Amino acid sequence: MMSCIVIAQEQGAPPDDQSIARARRLMRKIDKDRNGTFEKTENARTWKRYQRLDADGDDCLTVQELGSDRTAYLQTGGRRSLDVVYKTVGNRDLLLDLYYPTEMSPSDRCPVIVYTHGGGWAAGSKQGAARGSFARVFLDLVGHGFAVASVDYRLCKPDSGVAMRDCVIDCKDAVRYLAKHSDSLGLDAGKFFVMGDSAGGQIAQMLLLSPSESLAGDPELASTPFQLVAGVSWYGPCDFERMDLFNHDDRPDFRDRFEPRILGTSGGTDAAEAKRELLENKLQRYREISPVNYLAGDSPPLLMIQGDKDTTIPVKHAYYMKERAEAVSASVQIMIIRNAGHNWRMVDAEIDPSREAIEDRTVQFFVDHR
């Protein structure tokens, strides 16, 4: 069930077997005419994402070219275990990537940071750990002796029946898997941490604050307890019941855009009945996936970093979480970034503190709680 540990690819090296296997899975998704290659004419938007890999400039990508993508994984120079199957749902394997500290002996047991990617619960992948600020944070943490586990989970696609709670359940099962196999994986089961951004920030908060036995998924993993030490949420929401927290400019015509992803209704002849049944339990569903409801005096420390001009996940969430934490004496720190929109986009002026300061604060928070 567990992938073997391999040495990280060096820049310019030919794709290894795991990179080719990933490229084949990707090809099955994007090769609409099923001819074994992906042409620019098949989907212009998808082509833009991968055109840098077109080494021979023929407007056509092969599996070998897709497998050469060095941005898909963290280039740590250390050991890594890619595409580990942590559970299977239906006929789909759910995967995680595990990166080890750059200096680690076979007998070591290292702390691990579980990364849950963003994407509105409907997009994104574990490869997000290897991009932008996330790569810089995780490479720094690997250098500090942490392992990093980047997790894929089911996504809330139309008519899939997948709801936000399923995203949380999958990520909880990933943590349960890591805890269950901590000895063979070389992980310290007493030093698990979590980090996520946007939707992944909400998932990270849920993993950190909700009881380990709640939201059970795979029966083979359900009995495995885990304890998280601390966590970081970048621009993640904390409460779905308080929809006013999502209304950044207090518009009177504000609408709830999350209902389909929270309820997870699917199509088919029974869709109307299924939705009616879900609506009867709507409030329960909203409360269940709101991390703020799990705050307690003994909750593990949480750092929330949010932009003051974020219109996707307004800064109100950080202030509200801090307010609720103080009421129950929970450990929640907030860092507010001025002039920052979602994903630390600059709004009107340079963000302050800088992106580098955000990365440094994130790394130091984990180091301080190790």
Side-chain angles (χ1 to χ4, degrees):
M1 193 173 183
M2 184 177 66
S3 302
C4 61
I5 296 172
V6 299
I7 300 300
Q9 280 180 216
E10 297 295 333
Q11 296 293 337
D16 58 29
D17 290 345
Q18 288 179 319
S19 295
I20 291 297
R22 174 186 172 274
R24 286 182 178 137
R25 288 194 298 273
L26 176 59
M27 184 66 78
R28 286 195 290 271
K29 292 181 180 179
I30 64 178
D31 177 22
K32 301 303 182 184
D33 60 11
R34 297 292 183 264
N35 69 343
T37 59
F38 174 63
E39 292 82 29
K40 180 179 181 178
T41 54
E42 288 186 74
N43 187 309
R45 184 174 181 180
T46 302
W47 177 261
K48 287 181 180 179
R49 193 182 313 161
Y50 298 108
Q51 64 180 351
R52 70 188 186 286
L53 304 175
D54 183 17
D56 55 11
D58 63 352
D59 291 342
C60 175
L61 290 172
T62 64
V63 167
Q64 195 74 11
E65 285 175 316
L66 285 174
S68 69
D69 186 3
R70 298 297 188 272
T71 64
Y73 303 107
L74 285 170
Q75 303 301 315
T76 65
R79 295 188 300 163
R80 68 186 190 189
S81 188
L82 303 177
D83 295 334
V84 176
V85 179
Y86 67 86
K87 77 171 183 179
T88 301
V89 180
N91 60 359
R92 178 186 173 187
D93 291 338
L94 293 179
L95 311 173
L96 61 83
D97 294 331
L98 185 57
Y99 303 91
Y100 289 88
T102 46
E103 295 184 10
M104 178 181 174
S105 69
S107 61
D108 286 345
R109 295 290 179 267
C110 57
V112 61
I113 296 168
V114 178
Y115 170 63
T116 52
H117 67 79
W121 305 272
S125 75
K126 58 186 174 66
Q127 274 69 47
R131 300 185 181 112
S133 286
F134 305 110
R136 290 188 286 274
V137 165
F138 293 136
L139 288 172
D140 200 348
L141 287 166
V142 165
H144 277 86
F146 290 86
V148 173
S150 187
V151 177
D152 268 343
Y153 51 87
R154 286 172 291 168
L155 300 174
C156 301
K157 299 293 187 180
D159 297 329
S160 67
V162 175
M164 278 189 200
R165 73 189 309 271
D166 298 308
C167 304
V168 176
I169 286 170
D170 290 347
C171 293
K172 280 202 160 196
D173 277 344
V175 179
R176 293 173 182 130
Y177 175 88
L178 294 170
K180 183 176 183 177
H181 299 281
S182 58
D183 286 343
S184 61
L185 289 169
L187 304 176
D188 185 340
K191 292 184 178 179
F192 278 32
F193 301 80
V194 67
M195 176 181 174
D197 63 300
S198 196
Q202 176 262 345
I203 295 173
Q205 294 174 54
M206 287 292 296
L207 297 183
L208 184 73
L209 301 175
S210 66
S212 66
E213 68 275 11
S214 67
L215 293 158
D218 188 328
E220 294 185 8
L221 300 171
S223 62
T224 303
F226 63 85
Q227 178 64 50
L228 290 167
V229 177
V232 175
S233 168
W234 283 6
Y235 40 84
C238 71
D239 194 338
F240 293 94
E241 185 182 358
R242 284 280 308 272
M243 289 307 301
D244 59 298
L245 297 177
F246 292 92
N247 189 355
H248 70 96
D249 57 3
D250 299 317
R251 298 194 314 273
D253 61 341
F254 184 76
R255 296 289 183 268
D256 175 6
R257 66 184 189 273
F258 296 104
E259 181 181 290
R261 281 168 281 186
I262 294 175
L263 299 185
T265 54
S266 60
T269 55
D270 297 326
E273 180 61 31
K275 183 168 185 178
R276 186 159 46 248
E277 188 174 319
L278 285 168
L279 285 171
E280 290 177 0
N281 300 304
K282 178 176 177 178
L283 182 58
Q284 178 184 343
R285 281 292 187 103
Y286 276 58
R287 289 176 174 173
E288 180 187 47
I289 49 86
S290 294
V292 71
N293 293 329
Y294 300 95
L295 278 172
D298 60 352
S299 293
L302 169 67
L303 170 62
M304 294 183 73
I305 310 182
Q306 311 247 166
D308 69 349
K309 294 185 178 177
D310 192 333
T311 59
T312 303
I313 306 296
V315 72
K316 295 177 183 180
H317 283 270
Y319 289 128
Y320 183 61
M321 185 65 115
K322 179 67 172 175
E323 175 188 323
R324 288 285 298 272
E326 290 176 348
V328 296
S329 299
S331 178
V332 172
Q333 300 177 33
I334 62 175
M335 180 181 185
I336 308 304
I337 311 303
R338 293 178 291 278
N339 307 314
H342 211 55
N343 299 311
W344 310 135
R345 285 191 292 266
M346 183 182 74
V347 180
D348 299 329
E350 293 290 335
I351 69 170
D352 181 29
S354 66
R355 185 181 289 259
E356 182 180 24
I358 295 168
E359 296 162 2
D360 290 346
R361 175 73 182 277
T362 300
V363 170
Q364 193 61 48
F365 183 82
F366 287 119
V367 171
D368 288 346
H369 288 91
R370 179 172 175 173

